[in-house]
Amino acid sequence: MPPPTKRAEVLEGLRSQIRSGKPIVGAGAGIGLSAKFVEEGGADLIIVYNSGRYRMAGRGSLAGMMPYGDANGIVLDMAGEILNIVTHTPVLAGVCATDPYRHIPSFLRQLQTLGFCGIQNFPTVGLIDGSFRANLEATGMSYDAEVEMIRSAREMNLVTTPYVFDVEQGEKMAKAGADVIVVHLGLTVGGSIGLKEGSAGGAMGLDEGVKLIQEIRDACVKIREDVIVLCHGGPISGLKETQYVLERVKGLHGFYGASSMERLPVETAISENAKAFKALKIQ
């Protein structure tokens, strides 16, 4: 049985979770094994984007922002592996909206035909700052291009779950018709390739994240009362941190995990398993 692709069906599934008092959980999947077992664990959404491939190859997630490969092409390559193993969980594609070699509306239709129920804006220029970001914006490789992609996807009846990084971006995405606003707090901390606490450009603190998520959530709900709001990244790296945020942000509906869903658990499990085998006794 293929995963659901109809927007109304997917959104009703999410809203039923909210009505029952359960958090919505989205999970990034860089390989079929991850997709198979986050589905078995009950994830509500699975997201396929190029960083997942780099992440599960042992590289930092920001590799997906570098010129190491065709981001949209990688998603197409991953589609067969992941869509063919998922049986009932909606699957979304991460799309680079500023790709100069793809007509984005046509690409969205291609993804829809393959079996993706919707999209997310990744790679996103929202993760870039400073003069480089200013130059990207000035030369047309802008966050607004991602907003327009979400608007186009909404018109095509695709589920839309964009990353936003501040109140202005949240408002733009809500006005464009985004179904799910995902507040992105930056690169996830922890593990062997995550952001290290105290490093240059380190992650914001949990309380700072709580404040930002609340501000963005409140601004988006003023535009559309029915918008779903999730959190992602930065200091929200595990169960304890996610619970902390869920208890403090009024109206937050859940969590999107990528490194916290597939990289961090695998790092620990494989390492501890290897250590256990090495501790066996021989005669």
Side-chain angles (χ1 to χ4, degrees):
M1 178 178 170
T5 57
K6 295 185 183 302
R7 177 174 172 271
E9 180 184 351
V10 172
L11 293 181
E12 176 52 31
L14 299 181
R15 294 194 173 111
S16 70
Q17 294 294 307
I18 295 170
R19 289 193 296 269
S20 65
K22 298 177 181 178
I24 293 170
V25 175
I31 55 175
L33 189 69
S34 298
K36 182 175 182 176
F37 287 100
V38 295
E39 178 173 62
E40 186 172 302
D44 301 292
L45 298 167
I46 292 172
I47 307 92
V48 178
Y49 51 97
N50 70 328
S51 272
R53 171 163 287 182
Y54 295 116
R55 181 168 52 242
M56 299 311 287
R59 306 300 177 180
S61 295
L62 287 182
M65 301 290 295
M66 297 297 286
Y68 302 147
D70 172 2
N72 290 332
I74 288 171
V75 169
L76 291 178
D77 189 49
M78 295 168 72
E81 178 179 350
I82 293 173
L83 289 172
N84 288 333
I85 203 165
V86 174
T87 62
H88 59 270
T89 307
V91 183
L92 299 108
V95 180
C96 179
T98 57
D99 185 337
Y101 294 109
R102 279 187 172 83
H103 179 250
I104 293 301
S106 299
F107 185 58
L108 297 183
R109 285 191 288 272
Q110 182 181 5
L111 294 171
Q112 200 169 26
T113 300
L114 287 172
F116 287 102
C117 73
I119 65 160
Q120 184 171 53
N121 57 326
F122 194 89
T124 171
V125 297
L127 278 169
I128 302 171
D129 58 13
S131 60
F132 183 42
R133 169 67 178 276
N135 290 339
L136 287 172
E137 294 282 343
T139 52
M141 291 167 278
S142 65
Y143 189 84
D144 281 348
E146 299 175 23
V147 175
E148 289 310 306
M149 177 181 72
I150 294 299
R151 194 187 314 279
S152 295
R154 175 65 186 84
E155 291 170 356
M156 296 168 62
N157 217 27
L158 285 160
V159 178
T160 51
T161 68
Y163 281 138
V164 306
F165 299 83
D166 58 36
V167 169
E168 182 183 4
Q169 292 174 1
E171 291 173 336
K172 286 181 177 182
M173 287 298 191
K175 289 175 182 176
D179 299 303
V180 181
I181 297 291
V182 184
V183 182
H184 198 310
L185 301 184
L187 187 65
T188 303
V189 303
S192 65
I193 53 175
L195 195 64
K196 303 296 187 292
E197 292 185 12
S199 62
M204 67 176 69
L206 272 173
D207 290 328
E208 185 182 356
V210 164
K211 182 176 183 292
L212 178 60
I213 296 164
Q214 189 71 69
E215 290 174 351
I216 294 174
R217 180 264 171 198
D218 292 348
C220 292
V221 170
K222 285 181 182 177
I223 295 168
R224 290 222 333 279
E225 290 184 2
D226 64 343
V227 71
I228 295 169
V229 181
L230 309 179
C231 60
H232 170 80
I236 315 173
S237 59
L239 293 170
K240 180 178 70 174
E241 294 81 8
T242 305
Q243 186 65 61
Y244 186 93
V245 173
L246 290 172
E247 288 174 353
R248 287 162 176 78
V249 180
K250 182 180 178 182
L252 183 64
H253 300 115
F255 171 70
Y256 246 39
S259 291
S260 55
M261 285 290 175
E262 61 174 354
R263 174 177 65 81
L264 293 170
V266 165
E267 284 187 13
T268 302
I270 292 178
S271 176
E272 292 304 313
N273 187 58
K275 289 176 183 176
F277 272 100
K278 283 295 293 180
L280 294 174
K281 308 298 183 186
I282 59 174
Q283 297 299 322

